[in-house]
Amino acid sequence: MLRKIAVLADVHGNLSALRAVLADAQRAGATDYWFLGDLFLPGPGTQDLYDALKAVQPQVWLQGNWEQGIDFVVTGQGHWDDESKVYFARLTMYLIKRLASADYQALVHRPIATTMVVNGLNFGLSHNQPERSTGHDLYPAEAQENFDHLAKDHDVAIYGHTHQQLMRTSSSGQLIINPGATGQPYSPYPKLMADQRAHYALLTVTDAGQLAVDFRKVAYDIDAEIAAAKAVQLPYADLYAHLRQTGFTITHDQDLLRRVNAAHGYLAEVREFFKHD
């Protein structure tokens, strides 16, 4: 059977982008959906976002490093010794108050890697490397040996995490793909960074196991996404607006986050909510 597989990663709370990508995939005749992790934060999507992805019944649904970080905070392992950690914890607090407990547990118990076989083609799927969801070793300019490690014995290796669409090969010629980021695309190249359309990839696999890859970028209403964040009183809503307008994060801007955290009393809120110093 001919398969058309929509591969998504790194939604990061952006429901407007997810809806646009799912609509595009449906128009393109997608038969399968694979999600590679990082569904939530810093955007405003919570239960509505989870339900939108669940509705297409993904055959693959992985967790990423943000899901693991969220659970780290929830299970009492968070520390508030820098402003970025307070930022992440306050956003986590926002999320878990708005996500059904059963769905949260399903989310954080999903694997970070899996294997799928489609019409004879073996696909290795992971958020980053199969054994860990974080790290910089699969950014496009990194060493070939890192990509060879990812490919292992698969015909095709697909990963997320870096937020950049990519196609390359292993040293042996196996295909390596990154679908880009649905909700938070990135490029180090300014002209490409200015294009903030939502990313995904559509794979077509014939009955004979022949593969075609279509990297897709889908326009959506960024202003509406920003308005949605403000309407639900998303913590750091102004910083999220900047992210959506430019693509640039403030996650590690300690000086900026220190001012925002102090202005809103976020450190005290986080300490009280998670009962952890």
Side-chain angles (χ1 to χ4, degrees):
M1 171 185 168
L2 180 75
R3 303 275 286 276
K4 287 192 172 185
I5 307 163
V7 185
L8 299 75
D10 298 285
V11 175
H12 284 288
N14 189 339
L15 179 58
S16 303
L18 178 64
R19 284 175 170 163
V21 160
L22 294 180
D24 187 77
Q26 289 162 5
R27 288 191 296 268
T31 60
D32 304 78
Y33 295 84
W34 293 351
F35 178 64
L36 306 182
D38 279 4
L39 182 61
F40 294 116
L41 307 188
T46 55
Q47 190 68 52
D48 48 3
L49 184 63
Y50 188 96
D51 291 343
L53 182 59
K54 185 178 179 180
V56 299
Q57 300 180 326
Q59 289 81 1
V60 171
W61 187 333
L62 304 181
Q63 67 167 313
N65 59 299
W66 278 60
E67 281 92 359
Q68 291 184 315
I70 289 164
D71 200 46
F72 193 83
V73 172
V74 171
T75 55
Q77 301 174 73
H79 298 281
W80 326 129
D81 53 0
D82 74 41
E83 303 299 330
S84 294
K85 292 176 182 177
V86 174
Y87 168 78
F88 190 87
R90 184 60 185 85
L91 287 170
T92 296
M93 175 180 160
Y94 163 85
L95 170 66
I96 64 172
K97 290 169 67 175
R98 294 165 174 80
L99 185 63
S101 177
D103 293 335
Y104 175 80
Q105 290 301 319
L107 183 79
V108 299
H109 286 92
R110 295 185 183 278
I112 64 170
T114 193
T115 299
M116 295 290 286
V117 178
V118 179
N119 295 345
L121 279 181
N122 181 299
F123 292 85
L125 305 165
S126 55
H127 184 70
N128 187 54
Q129 290 283 12
E131 67 277 3
R132 54 181 165 76
S133 65
T134 193
H136 293 168
D137 53 324
L138 293 176
Y139 278 64
E142 292 299 318
Q144 179 66 43
E145 63 188 26
N146 300 342
F147 294 91
D148 292 345
H149 176 80
L150 174 71
K152 295 187 183 296
D153 58 354
H154 303 296
D155 300 316
V156 183
I158 309 178
Y159 73 104
H161 186 58
T162 69
H163 296 211
Q164 299 176 68
Q165 291 183 328
L166 171 147
M167 180 187 289
R168 62 182 292 165
T169 64
S170 71
S171 297
S172 299
Q174 298 141 295
L175 193 62
I176 298 171
I177 298 166
N178 190 312
T182 291
Q184 195 168 301
Y186 172 76
S187 173
Y189 193 72
K191 286 184 179 179
L192 299 182
M193 184 63 164
D195 182 355
Q196 283 291 304
R197 289 176 296 171
H199 293 180
Y200 80 107
L202 188 66
L203 313 182
T204 300
V205 186
T206 69
D207 291 349
Q210 298 164 324
L211 174 65
V213 182
D214 180 9
F215 287 110
R216 299 175 76 91
K217 295 181 179 179
V218 185
Y220 69 97
D221 191 337
I222 290 175
D223 289 338
E225 175 65 13
I226 292 170
K230 292 181 178 179
V232 297
Q233 298 183 314
L234 175 73
Y236 310 97
D238 289 342
L239 303 185
Y240 184 66
H242 171 78
L243 172 62
R244 291 281 60 81
Q245 290 163 344
T246 68
F248 291 104
T249 68
I250 50 75
T251 308
H252 302 293
D253 188 333
Q254 297 293 311
D255 290 338
L256 174 60
L257 290 175
R258 183 176 296 108
R259 293 195 298 272
V260 176
N261 289 339
H264 294 276
Y266 285 153
L267 176 57
E269 290 185 8
V270 163
R271 282 178 166 163
E272 173 62 22
F273 187 82
F274 293 110
K275 302 296 184 182
H276 181 65
D277 294 323

